[in-house]
Amino acid sequence: MDRRKFLTFAGCSCCSLILNSCATAPITERKQLKIIPEAKLNAQAAQAYEQIKEKETMSEDLQKLNEIKEIGKKMEDSISEYFYRSNITDPTVNFDWEYILIENKKIRNAWCMPGGKIAVYTGILDVTKNTNGLAAVMGHEIAHAVAKHSVERASRGVLLNTGTRVLDIFSGGILSDINRTTGMDTVGLLSQLGIMNPFNRKQESEADYLGMIFASLSGYDIRETRKIWERMKEFNKGKEPPEFMSTHPSSDNRIKNIDSWVSEIILDYPPIDL
């Protein structure tokens, strides 16, 4: 196949994928591209989760683990009930929820894999401080899974790699020459800074917003969310990279957004009676 035919074929294939894979994020209705099967990522996440449980040290603080599970259960039920009452397909219907508490004071983090596999590190508890703070962090992580952010990132990665190859062929290999001349993946770095990082920051802001909604629906005080990022800012003092180099918004911008959302969310998404 000559170059022109290949480019035509590749271009048509990409357009077909885009046209057939458009979706919207729940509640925010942001347009999304999904070309990777969600079931595939969920299965991979479940396997990785089991490996993490074997590799990492689980916390013996059963009281805190039970608190995490209680918060999670409230959010599971509230999220499903919200979508049911709104006559919207529940994005968590195929989730197999699970919660672990990892003993590691050096890591101030939590995450939720596709399919509802959640981990909290003991280090983040110094930031959350209380139940409402823990609910805010868990709401944010759960929001990533509910909004299918991993599916979307994987899909964009595939599309970006395909597009880069097509451009390299179209340019006669100029992109490859640049990489060889500089001795680094210059094109990949520019794509990361100019495309993927801004996109990831958009997802993080969306998870902040949706997470506050889920926490509010579950009966938690989302005014604690601002305090979490104030504390996180103190912990990260002098260590935050410039926002354009990061996959996350700066703490200052997160706090600014939270302040603009909190009253609206409290009014529009009150606790759901189950």
Side-chain angles (χ1 to χ4, degrees):
M1 183 182 294
D2 64 31
R3 184 185 300 175
R4 180 172 296 178
K5 288 182 178 179
F6 173 80
L7 290 171
T8 302
F9 173 77
C12 290
S13 297
C14 289
C15 289
S16 177
L17 283 173
I18 293 171
L19 290 173
N20 292 320
S21 307
C22 289
T24 56
I27 299 178
T28 66
E29 298 186 346
R30 179 179 59 83
K31 298 295 183 183
Q32 295 178 300
L33 174 70
K34 299 177 185 175
I35 58 178
I36 302 296
E38 180 185 349
K40 180 179 180 180
L41 279 188
N42 287 357
Q44 292 173 343
Q47 290 180 350
Y49 195 69
E50 292 303 315
Q51 293 172 359
I52 288 169
K53 288 195 291 184
E54 293 177 3
K55 179 182 177 182
E56 300 289 349
T57 301
M58 297 297 108
S59 173
E60 296 181 356
D61 189 344
L62 296 182
Q63 182 178 353
K64 184 58 66 174
L65 176 60
N66 287 334
E67 182 183 12
I68 290 169
K69 290 180 177 179
E70 181 180 350
I71 293 170
K73 180 60 175 164
K74 283 185 179 180
M75 289 197 180
E76 291 176 38
D77 294 341
S78 297
I79 290 169
S80 293
E81 185 65 18
Y82 170 81
F83 285 111
Y84 171 75
R85 294 184 186 183
S86 302
N87 197 28
I88 300 172
T89 301
D90 181 2
T92 69
V93 67
N94 293 318
F95 281 21
D96 183 17
W97 298 96
E98 192 172 351
Y99 306 86
I100 56 175
L101 178 60
I102 298 174
E103 185 61 51
N104 193 326
K105 286 287 188 181
K106 295 181 179 180
I107 297 180
R108 292 188 293 273
N109 198 13
W111 43 257
C112 181
M113 286 182 169
K117 302 296 186 181
I118 296 167
V120 177
Y121 292 82
T122 53
I124 196 67
L125 302 178
D126 293 332
V127 180
T128 59
K129 296 292 187 183
N130 53 58
T131 300
N132 289 317
L134 185 54
V137 168
M138 289 179 62
H140 171 91
E141 301 305 334
I142 287 171
H144 278 304
V146 174
K148 319 295 183 186
H149 285 167
S150 292
V151 177
E152 195 177 9
R153 279 197 298 271
S155 299
R156 278 182 172 256
V158 168
L159 195 63
L160 184 60
N161 288 337
T162 302
T164 301
R165 291 192 187 99
V166 171
L167 285 173
D168 194 37
I169 293 170
F170 182 75
S171 66
I174 289 177
L175 300 185
S176 297
D177 290 342
I178 291 173
N179 286 344
R180 282 193 294 270
T181 301
T182 60
M184 60 186 291
D185 185 8
T186 306
V187 177
L189 178 61
L190 292 174
S191 297
Q192 187 69 36
L193 295 178
I195 299 174
M196 295 306 290
N197 280 3
F199 173 68
N200 288 340
R201 289 195 295 271
K202 182 181 292 186
Q203 285 191 332
E204 288 296 327
S205 293
E206 185 172 66
D208 285 344
Y209 180 68
L210 292 174
M212 291 173 69
I213 289 175
F214 298 153
S216 182
L217 290 173
S218 305
Y220 297 103
D221 186 353
I222 61 172
R223 290 172 293 184
E224 188 68 24
T225 310
R226 182 190 213 280
K227 299 175 185 177
I228 286 174
W229 286 107
E230 289 174 342
R231 292 192 286 267
M232 187 66 82
K233 184 179 177 181
E234 284 299 312
F235 275 113
N236 294 332
K237 198 168 186 177
K239 298 179 182 179
E240 281 194 0
E243 187 174 77
F244 79 93
M245 294 184 66
S246 176
T247 58
H248 290 59
S250 67
S251 295
D252 286 336
N253 280 337
R254 294 187 105 142
I255 291 171
K256 181 180 178 181
N257 287 334
I258 288 164
D259 286 343
S260 70
W261 296 330
V262 64
S263 296
E264 168 206 326
I265 290 174
I266 290 174
L267 290 173
D268 293 346
Y269 300 93
I272 286 183
D273 294 325
L274 298 171

